[in-house]
Amino acid sequence: MKDVFKKPDSFYEFFTRSAGVDKEATHYCPGCGHGNLHKLIAEAIDDLDIADRTVFVSPVGCSVFGYYYFHVGNVQSAHGRAPAVATGIKRALPHSIVISYQGDGDLAAIGANEILQAANRGESITVIFVNNAIYGMTGGQMAPTTLIDMKTTTTPYGRHAENEGYPLRISELLATLQAPVYIERCTLEDSKSIMKTRKAIRRALELQIANKGFSLIEVLSPCPTGWKLDPIDSREWITKNMLNVFPPAVYKDRADAPSRPTPPTPVYDGDEVLKIIGIKESDAAHVAKLPADFPTHKLVLAGFGGQGILLLGQLLAKSSMREGKFVSWLPSYGPEMRGGTANCHVVVSRERIGSPFVTNPTLLVAMNQPSLEKFADSVEPGGLVIYDSSFVKDVKLPAHVKAVPVPFSEIANDLGNAKVANVVAAGTIIGLTGITGADSFKSLLGSLRKELLDANLKALAAGLAEARHFGAMSNQPSVKATVS
Amino acid sequence: MRQELMKGNEAIVLGALLAGCRSYFGYPITPASEIAETAAVMFPRLGGTFLQAESEVAAINMVYGAASTGQRTMTASSSPGISLKMEGISYCAGSELPCVVVNIMRGGPGLGNIGPEQSDYFQMVKGGGHGNYRMPVLAPNGAQEMCDLTMLAFELADKYRNPVALVADGFIGQMMEPVNVPNPVRTFPDKPWAVKGTGDTRDSLISSIHLDHNELEDHIRHMYAKYAEIEKNEVRFEEYRLEDADYVTVAYGIVSRVLMSAVDQARAAGIKVGMLRPITLWPFPAPRLKQLAGHVKGILVSECSTGMMVEDVKLAVECRVPVQFYGRNGGNIPSARELYDAIVKLTNTVGS
């Protein structure tokens, strides 16, 4: 004789994970809709032969114990977060079939944003949304789907629109989105409607198998305990009270949508990883023998945003790094960034660098008037101030610093491009301080914008020439670098 | 040699990719957005996932989902965003899911500002989320460590099946320094517990529910046995000029960089002072501090907070030695001069 009562294979034979004594019955109350639904899902998983690759996500609510019953991969999640958790799973396991099984409090209240966004992204997951108009597990409090005038433990006088708003119609809401492929509202009020629900669940899963995208089946489900009704009356209660507020229908059907593209396979091969990231053995990286008297250079570079000040600092740091020196580069950070001026701190040393902050620079490069005014007084006694005399006209400096005016911007303009003023400045800095070799710096110019290479090379040479000019005018600082 | 000049925030992404992390779920917030932006460029190139979530709450739960499958995964945010992630971090800890959470700390409480602070110490080190759990907290103080410690974070996360945090601040994130690029991780631990969407993982269950009181107590004992192992094996710190020191200074992250300069200045002035820099904030280098307390004359702790780590220092030294504190807040960093003065004050007040 055919065993018509056989449990689906994707149910556990015995519910050994259950905390209860009875390992054969579910923890659900008599007449609860979860039992029907679980069976419909398990049979669909069997018939579609997807048990091995199915991952069942159960968040907080009566269905939190989905893992007692479903013999598939199970992930239990926080209240309302199942669509986000399901997203993480599906992205990591594109081949998997992910079912998110959520109640109305979970999905429509605390998790309303997660479901909205997962639906809008068109995540290829299937959501079973159990709507019983009440918080079942926590003892019958109001849900977003609680009906008007319905009494719950937190609406003891009935739900009133002026206080709690109206029942939330999730299927209708999500159906306004472009991405979802299938949204249907079903009910469990009688055998006929259960068979319709059965069909809807299969359709949703088939669409996921075809990787079409997001599907949601809302199921009006009885909660005899929460409603304080017997199982038979509960079914009738759905028919009488819920159907007019939550009409069963197919709200969205884009079964003809194209399948979503298969995501690429992640690369784990180490050599391939380095290649893709773009890390090369650096040819220039060598630890030079630095002279013992190589001083620690502490630079403040400042100017207008757009003058390439931050880049100038980075290039000086990078060039010095390639010579085996310790370097740090720190941009202005915080509200300053939005003030129209940009500055950065650069430290270059033969020793490990402690503080990357430069409070008393050995060199201030001021590319505009405000920068000179802001930082001039902080320069270390004996320090150097190099400024762009194209912009800085009013020069008041402390007596203990040495000033070098160079019209960087005018020189850059003469070279045909105002953008290379920062490299002119680099030439002068290098020439006057020896912070890095001109050759090391020059080798970096190729990595900048190609169309500026010629102008940059000329700019560097021009800047170095300015340094030589000042070096010749005074005994120190001496010219320490030349371009080969 | 593979050396690159890069920002701390970029070094985190580099470290993550080298460690085999292949999914990043984030939400923009200053000053951590650069990590997400760099990840958005890099993760897809390696066939990984970058997804900007709808909120920090969703992001950490996406991490929870990806971690459930055994994939190395991460998220990054800044203080207010980390507050939102705390629910998810607690769930990850309870479900024993390995993942990495980066906090580029900023000024608080509330919206505060985007300046660098270290005022999430309690949140990161002492819990933050609900329930009994701990989380290793790594505190890099430069670009190289941003990369190296991110890699370590993934290793520890898998080794102990636990979320691991990396904390830094806007300066460490923005600062560019040379990074010697480590070798990529080539072998990964087996994770038979994960849900992989395969026949042999149909019995895998990721869950933090233990309805039965005794069962939950057993689970907590199991987790705390694991945490005891972490405390035994994973304490990391750096000592700077401590060999003959009469005074110890303690700082982590950006403050430790400034303090290092202040220690140098104090040494130049003849003060025998050194620095102990916790690299793991939990597990805290308490045993070493206790040892030092046995023979030094005073300890100075500096933080960009009103004084949080200083409590752990005091607990560690068990009143053997005076502990003084110097802190700045609101996005201010103590200058080397301020810290030098604090060192001098310490030597004057505790005697020499």
Side-chain angles (χ1 to χ4, degrees):
Chain A
M1 189 177 137
K2 198 180 164 199
D3 184 5
V4 292
F5 298 114
K6 188 180 176 300
K7 247 184 210 171
D9 283 340
S10 49
F11 273 147
Y12 279 109
E13 181 64 27
F14 296 101
F15 307 138
T16 53
R17 283 172 172 164
S18 167
V21 182
D22 185 348
K23 304 295 184 191
E24 291 189 71
T26 71
H27 74 288
Y28 296 116
C29 309
C32 170
H34 283 304
N36 296 115
L37 260 178
H38 280 21
K39 191 172 173 219
L40 296 180
I41 294 167
E43 285 174 351
I45 291 171
D46 278 11
D47 292 349
L48 296 169
D49 194 22
I50 52 172
D52 283 355
R53 59 181 175 130
T54 294
V55 181
F56 195 87
V57 186
S58 35
V60 175
C62 287
S63 55
V64 69
F65 300 117
Y67 60 84
Y68 286 177
Y69 313 117
F70 290 98
H71 186 196
V72 297
N74 274 283
V75 178
Q76 186 278 320
S77 85
H79 198 32
R81 316 299 176 219
V85 171
T87 296
I89 295 167
K90 189 74 182 195
R91 297 296 178 114
L93 303 175
H95 75 280
S96 65
I97 300 298
V98 180
I99 300 173
S100 177
Y101 189 102
Q102 304 181 254
D104 43 17
D106 182 88
L107 182 142
I110 194 169
N113 195 25
E114 279 84 356
I115 193 64
L116 180 72
Q117 304 288 344
N120 193 46
R121 285 191 302 269
E123 295 295 341
S124 204
I125 61 174
T126 300
V127 178
I128 308 295
F129 169 41
V130 184
N131 178 359
N132 55 20
I134 207 160
Y135 279 70
M137 178 179 243
T138 45
Q141 295 84 8
M142 185 195 73
T145 49
T146 292
L147 305 179
I148 293 294
D149 292 331
M150 184 173 162
K151 286 184 181 170
T152 70
T153 59
T154 50
T155 53
Y157 309 110
R159 177 180 189 162
H160 296 139
E162 59 272 24
N163 199 44
E164 289 95 9
Y166 295 90
L168 202 50
R169 297 186 176 103
I170 287 293
S171 290
E172 287 88 334
L173 187 71
L174 295 184
T176 63
L177 301 174
Q178 196 175 334
V181 289
Y182 196 75
I183 295 176
E184 180 173 353
R185 182 184 288 126
C186 308
T187 94
L188 298 175
E189 60 188 304
D190 54 23
S191 313
K192 201 173 144 199
S193 64
I194 289 172
M195 291 317 283
K196 239 180 151 175
T197 306
R198 178 179 189 269
K199 217 174 122 195
I201 288 169
R202 281 161 194 255
R203 185 164 173 79
L205 289 173
E206 278 162 1
L207 288 169
Q208 189 180 167
I209 291 165
N211 197 24
K212 298 273 185 172
F214 181 91
S215 56
L216 178 138
I217 307 300
E218 176 176 348
V219 184
L220 305 182
S221 176
C223 179
T225 307
W227 297 348
K228 299 183 173 52
L229 296 172
D230 70 37
I232 305 292
D233 291 347
S234 296
R235 307 268 162 175
E236 283 169 11
W237 195 87
I238 294 178
T239 317
K240 274 187 201 156
N241 299 294
M242 289 187 83
L243 295 190
N244 58 337
V245 182
F246 301 111
V250 174
Y251 284 90
K252 185 132 198 163
D253 187 350
R254 292 201 307 119
D256 56 349
S259 293
R260 286 166 67 98
T262 311
T265 310
V267 177
Y268 287 101
D269 177 80
D271 298 326
E272 192 67 10
V273 166
L274 286 174
K275 209 171 113 190
I276 295 171
I277 296 175
I279 303 284
K280 290 188 208 104
E281 294 286 327
S282 28
D283 42 282
H286 63 279
V287 181
K289 264 246 181 278
L290 293 173
D293 63 346
F294 182 83
T296 295
H297 294 270
K298 295 178 287 177
L299 279 60
V300 170
L301 311 171
F304 291 122
Q307 279 183 309
I309 289 296
L310 301 184
L311 179 63
L312 169 61
Q314 288 178 9
L315 291 171
L316 289 170
K318 193 165 184 179
S319 178
S320 303
M321 173 188 87
R322 290 199 169 175
E323 295 164 340
K325 297 163 189 161
F326 289 95
V327 304
S328 67
W329 173 94
L330 190 70
S332 52
Y333 163 60
E336 275 184 307
M337 287 166 68
R338 288 165 178 81
T341 65
N343 70 76
C344 60
H345 299 182
V346 175
V347 181
V348 176
S349 177
R350 65 192 306 280
E351 311 279 343
R352 185 177 159 197
I353 296 166
S355 175
F357 300 102
V358 178
T359 35
N360 301 113
T362 57
L363 170 64
L364 166 65
V365 178
M367 298 294 275
N368 64 7
Q369 186 74 36
S371 299
L372 188 78
E373 288 168 7
K374 188 171 177 186
F375 296 108
D377 289 338
S378 67
V379 178
E380 201 168 87
L384 185 63
V385 177
I386 301 175
Y387 61 89
D388 188 341
S389 55
S390 325
F391 294 121
V392 180
K393 300 296 181 191
D394 182 15
V395 183
K396 289 194 194 73
L397 289 170
H400 61 256
V401 305
K402 185 178 175 60
V404 176
V406 181
F408 296 121
S409 300
E410 283 167 30
I411 293 171
N413 277 329
D414 290 347
L415 291 171
N417 199 321
K419 286 189 189 307
V420 302
N422 58 348
V423 177
V424 183
T428 305
I429 295 165
I430 292 167
L432 291 176
T433 67
I435 187 171
T436 183
D439 287 342
S440 307
F441 192 90
K442 194 176 161 188
S443 70
L444 298 177
L445 295 177
S447 65
L448 304 178
R449 284 164 60 182
K450 297 281 174 262
E451 69 273 20
L452 287 182
L453 180 59
D454 191 46
N456 273 328
L457 288 169
K458 285 179 183 154
L460 182 64
L464 285 160
E466 290 294 324
R468 274 194 296 274
H469 173 64
F470 279 94
M473 275 173 45
S474 59
N475 290 330
Q476 66 105 29
S478 58
V479 177
K480 289 184 178 174
T482 50
V483 174
S484 58
Chain B
M1 188 181 192
R2 298 181 297 251
Q3 192 181 50
E4 300 278 331
L5 184 71
M6 62 173 72
K7 288 186 176 184
N9 283 338
E10 294 165 349
I12 285 177
V13 176
L14 174 68
L17 294 173
L18 294 174
C21 172
R22 290 295 176 269
S23 57
Y24 182 106
F25 301 97
Y27 185 84
I29 182 169
T30 308
S33 298
E34 215 166 25
I35 305 173
E37 287 162 0
T38 309
V41 173
M42 297 308 297
F43 273 67
R45 288 191 189 162
L46 288 165
T49 297
F50 171 85
L51 185 58
Q52 180 171 325
E54 58 268 31
S55 67
E56 286 93 345
V57 174
I60 187 70
N61 280 282
M62 289 171 185
V63 163
Y64 182 100
S68 296
T69 73
Q71 187 177 62
R72 286 190 166 179
T73 180
M74 72 179 292
T75 185
S77 189
S78 179
S79 311
I82 295 293
S83 294
L84 289 169
K85 288 186 195 295
M86 278 298 164
E87 174 199 60
I89 292 172
S90 170
Y91 273 76
C92 287
S95 298
E96 299 196 86
L97 287 176
C99 59
V100 173
V101 178
V102 176
N103 182 1
I104 306 296
M105 297 184 281
R106 58 184 254 182
L111 204 47
N113 64 29
I114 60 170
E117 267 205 6
Q118 297 180 320
S119 49
D120 298 349
Y121 183 91
F122 285 159
Q123 184 186 40
M124 302 306 292
V125 172
K126 303 291 180 184
H130 59 282
N132 290 299
Y133 77 94
R134 309 282 339 214
M135 168 166 67
V137 181
L138 311 178
N141 80 343
Q144 183 72 56
E145 283 192 352
M146 287 288 243
C147 176
D148 295 350
L149 295 183
T150 300
M151 295 183 75
L152 177 67
F154 282 101
E155 186 189 320
L156 295 180
D158 277 352
K159 186 174 172 187
Y160 297 103
R161 278 193 67 180
N162 207 72
V164 175
L166 186 102
V167 297
D169 60 77
F171 277 125
I172 299 290
Q174 292 290 316
M175 182 169 57
M176 285 183 115
E177 288 186 307
V179 172
N180 293 320
V181 180
N183 287 321
V185 175
R186 288 167 197 269
T187 50
F188 299 93
D190 199 24
K191 297 180 182 175
W193 50 264
V195 169
K196 298 174 188 169
T198 53
D200 59 346
T201 59
R202 275 174 69 179
D203 287 312
S204 291
L205 167 64
I206 305 300
S207 171
S208 58
I209 297 186
H210 302 274
L211 269 198
D212 182 83
H213 299 192
N214 290 325
E215 189 188 304
L216 180 56
E217 190 172 50
D218 285 348
H219 178 60
I220 291 165
R221 283 188 182 134
H222 154 73
M223 290 208 300
Y224 274 72
K226 185 168 90 175
Y227 297 150
E229 281 296 301
I230 295 175
E231 284 186 304
K232 200 172 80 188
N233 302 333
E234 310 298 348
V235 175
R236 285 168 173 80
F237 56 88
E238 184 198 356
E239 297 191 3
Y240 183 69
R241 305 188 81 167
L242 267 183
E243 309 77 36
D244 58 342
D246 290 331
Y247 304 94
V248 182
T249 60
V250 187
Y252 68 95
I254 187 67
V255 182
S256 69
R257 295 291 296 264
V258 184
L259 188 54
M260 191 176 149
S261 293
V263 164
D264 286 343
Q265 285 172 33
R267 280 277 176 178
I271 301 171
K272 287 166 107 179
V273 61
M275 177 175 75
L276 184 130
R277 172 172 74 94
I279 294 172
T280 49
L281 301 181
W282 189 83
F284 195 67
R288 177 58 180 143
L289 272 166
K290 187 176 169 183
Q291 217 174 34
L292 286 166
H295 62 266
V296 301
K297 295 170 184 163
I299 293 179
L300 172 72
V301 179
S302 181
E303 297 168 71
C304 285
S305 79
T306 50
M308 296 186 178
M309 181 179 69
V310 65
E311 293 189 5
D312 281 339
V313 174
K314 284 179 176 171
L315 279 171
V317 304
E318 295 171 351
C319 301
R320 284 177 170 81
V321 65
V323 176
Q324 293 187 2
F325 176 73
Y326 186 83
R328 291 296 304 271
N329 297 284
N332 293 311
I333 305 275
S335 68
R337 181 76 215 179
E338 286 170 84
L339 292 177
Y340 171 80
D341 290 346
I343 292 169
V344 171
K345 186 180 155 227
L346 174 76
T347 62
N348 290 339
T349 43
V350 304
S352 53

